[in-house]
Amino acid sequence: MAQFENGNLAVTASTMVYVEVFGKGEAKLHDKRKSQLATGKTQAAASAIIDSWFRSSPISWVEVHQDIAEDARQMARKFHLDSQDAVHLATAVDEECGIFYTLDRKLINRIADGGGIPNLQLLLPVAMGQLAIPTQAPIAGKLSPLEP
């Protein structure tokens, strides 16, 4: 995140992210694989934190339009993806991002097994909450077991 906050890394995201952080109507402040949902009295506070971050963040937000939707549909079929992952990947391709960071190793390997997406490299952030520009590509399009 330091590279993003210092302006050394441009971040583009689909507006679908805004919906995803409110899974089942509850605000999520952490990755779903390791988090607890903010509930009860903390729900309003979690929502306020997320709303504030989305409004003040220098992320370039991209609305889902027809071309992205069509590309997402094709990717969902080809790689057997859920609709959210497909929309995020199609948005990255549409915006010519080059690198797509995700915490989902299965997604990275599923895309690699399906032949990859031209001009888009899927990578894990170096450490939770800290993005780093990669210095080398994954071996054979898959993650090395030594990577986080």
Side-chain angles (χ1 to χ4, degrees):
M1 284 301 264
Q3 291 182 29
F4 170 65
E5 291 167 353
N6 293 334
N8 296 327
L9 180 68
V11 175
T12 300
S14 164
T15 52
M16 290 277 297
V17 170
Y18 191 76
V19 175
E20 283 187 302
V21 297
F22 288 95
K24 298 180 184 169
E26 297 180 312
K28 294 186 266 187
L29 293 176
H30 302 288
D31 176 49
K32 66 184 176 186
R33 290 172 270 306
K34 297 180 181 170
S35 72
Q36 296 178 1
L37 295 176
T39 58
K41 293 179 183 177
T42 63
Q43 187 61 41
S47 293
I49 290 168
I50 292 168
D51 285 340
S52 172
W53 190 81
F54 274 95
R55 281 195 291 274
S56 65
S57 172
I59 291 173
S60 174
W61 295 105
V62 178
E63 297 286 335
V64 177
H65 54 71
Q66 188 66 34
D67 290 341
I68 289 175
E70 289 173 9
D71 289 347
R73 185 176 179 188
Q74 290 176 3
M75 287 182 192
R77 285 182 179 160
K78 179 177 180 177
F79 299 110
H80 307 284
L81 304 174
D82 65 32
S83 57
Q84 294 96 336
D85 287 341
V87 167
H88 296 313
L89 288 165
T91 299
V93 170
D94 183 74
E95 295 296 307
E96 300 177 354
C97 290
I99 298 173
F100 182 93
Y101 287 103
T102 179
L103 295 172
D104 189 341
R105 288 177 183 267
K106 289 179 184 176
L107 174 64
I108 294 171
N109 290 330
R110 185 177 298 140
I111 298 300
D113 290 345
I117 298 172
N119 303 313
L120 187 65
Q121 186 178 24
L122 279 71
L123 298 173
L124 287 171
V126 169
M128 186 76 89
Q130 178 185 356
L131 297 177
I133 297 173
T135 56
Q136 67 183 64
I139 300 169
K142 286 195 168 189
L143 293 173
S144 158
L146 299 176
E147 291 182 328

